[in-house]
Amino acid sequence: MEKHEFLELFEAATKAAKSASRGDAKNSPAVSRCVEAIKRLREAPESLAYEMVIDRKYPQIGKSHGLFTEHKNPRIQSEGKILYSLWLRYLYATGRKQSSRPRDRTVVKKEKKLVEEEMISTTTGDSNRDKVREILHKSLSKVAVEMKEGVVSCDYWSVAASVESAMFERLGSFGGTQKAKYRSILFNMGDSSNPDLRRKVLIGEISGERLVTMEKEEMASNKIRMQVQKIKEKARDKEENRIKSMMMFQSDSMIMT
């Protein structure tokens, strides 16, 4: 994705969001256009998104946070929060990568101001959703101890919010029909023997959208996967021995007759 395409998508999302705010239909064409443009913006490379968000020539990008995340339409609001969570993560990640090199104070100050002003709200007003975010935050916070390199603490909340938003969008409410899936994700994210999963989620190697679609075996720790594999192998060996015994018994019966 090039810079001009990024700007065109952002402008399209902005216009559609403003148009949708004037209508009453929850699934109007303007809402669909806005959601589609926001999803495309999430595909922008990290370096490009970082450049555009802090670039003083495009202040409307860094300051448009509320237009999407506080929109009255729930679809636009949800997608907007995921987008800005992602951009916020890019700000921190790129800042860590460049921390060993001398940097322009104006740029550093700009980044800090953006993070402070545009920090996405971590609460939804829904007690079940907020509880899920707290559990995810607690699990992600373990990465600081488990990883050798330092991790910015604010990353935890933004990633937790992004993951929970993806879970809510795909699975619905925690108390709904997908409660078992919620429990499976939260268990594996907090499993003390599964640091690799939460590390990958925190650094963005596994997105919230991907996490929601993963099977139990994919999320499980190496220890649990090995245990499951042994159980399967044991069951397979038992079944093979049973079949061999049956074949031997049938063969003996035929000989006797």
Side-chain angles (χ1 to χ4, degrees):
M1 182 183 295
E2 300 295 332
K3 184 181 292 187
H4 69 87
E5 186 179 0
F6 185 100
L7 289 171
E8 289 174 0
L9 284 170
F10 183 81
E11 185 178 355
T14 301
K15 287 182 177 179
K18 291 179 179 179
S19 177
S21 66
R22 293 192 290 269
D24 296 324
K26 291 185 177 180
N27 295 300
S28 67
V31 172
S32 298
R33 290 197 304 272
C34 182
V35 169
E36 181 60 28
I38 291 175
K39 287 183 177 180
R40 290 284 309 283
L41 283 168
R42 280 159 46 190
E43 298 173 3
E46 179 178 341
S47 58
L48 175 61
Y50 173 82
E51 178 187 351
M52 299 302 291
V53 171
I54 70 163
D55 196 327
R56 284 179 290 180
K57 287 189 289 186
Y58 310 105
Q60 70 274 23
I61 296 177
K63 295 181 179 179
S64 64
H65 165 254
L67 177 63
F68 301 130
T69 62
E70 297 175 11
H71 200 281
K72 68 178 184 179
N73 184 278
R75 290 179 62 198
I76 294 178
Q77 184 181 116
S78 177
E79 291 297 334
K81 287 184 177 181
I82 294 173
L83 175 66
Y84 274 87
S85 288
L86 181 66
W87 285 357
L88 187 62
R89 197 189 315 170
Y90 288 167
L91 283 175
Y92 279 119
T94 305
R96 288 199 300 273
K97 291 175 185 176
Q98 298 179 350
S99 61
S100 60
R101 300 196 300 270
R103 306 176 65 205
D104 186 277
R105 289 189 177 184
T106 304
V107 174
V108 175
K109 188 176 181 180
K110 174 72 172 178
E111 291 176 10
K112 185 177 180 181
K113 185 177 180 181
L114 270 174
V115 170
E116 291 174 348
E117 292 181 352
E118 309 301 335
M119 175 65 77
I120 297 172
S121 173
T122 57
T123 59
T124 65
D126 183 312
S127 59
N128 284 333
R129 292 189 64 184
D130 290 342
K131 184 62 177 178
V132 170
R133 292 188 177 198
E134 288 177 13
I135 294 173
L136 288 169
H137 173 265
K138 184 177 180 180
S139 298
L140 292 166
S141 298
K142 296 179 181 179
V143 179
V145 178
E146 296 164 342
M147 286 182 68
K148 293 181 180 180
E149 296 181 1
V151 181
V152 179
S153 60
C154 291
D155 278 353
Y156 310 140
W157 276 119
S158 62
V159 177
S162 176
V163 171
E164 186 280 329
S165 293
M167 292 170 68
F168 182 75
E169 183 177 355
R170 178 93 179 196
L171 305 176
S173 174
F174 174 78
T177 58
Q178 296 293 328
K179 191 171 184 177
K181 181 67 173 180
Y182 264 96
R183 290 185 180 278
S184 177
I185 293 173
L186 295 177
F187 168 77
N188 282 291
M189 282 292 291
D191 184 2
S192 59
S193 63
N194 201 2
D196 199 42
L197 176 65
R198 49 183 165 269
R199 178 187 63 79
K200 289 180 178 180
V201 171
L202 182 63
I203 65 177
E205 190 172 329
I206 295 178
S207 66
E209 292 82 357
R210 172 71 184 108
L211 182 66
V212 175
T213 62
M214 292 173 71
E215 298 294 334
K216 291 181 181 179
E217 292 76 13
E218 293 180 276
M219 290 188 288
S221 64
N222 291 332
K223 180 180 178 181
I224 292 180
R225 280 202 294 266
M226 289 177 64
Q227 291 175 345
V228 171
Q229 184 62 27
K230 286 181 180 179
I231 292 173
K232 287 182 177 179
E233 290 175 355
K234 194 172 182 180
R236 185 172 60 248
D237 292 341
K238 187 176 181 180
E239 180 63 14
E240 288 177 353
N241 290 332
R242 185 183 71 82
I243 294 174
K244 287 180 181 179
S245 297
M246 288 179 62
M247 292 177 67
M248 291 177 63
F249 177 77
Q250 291 175 354
S251 178
D252 291 343
S253 298
M254 291 176 65
I255 293 174
M256 292 177 66
T257 56

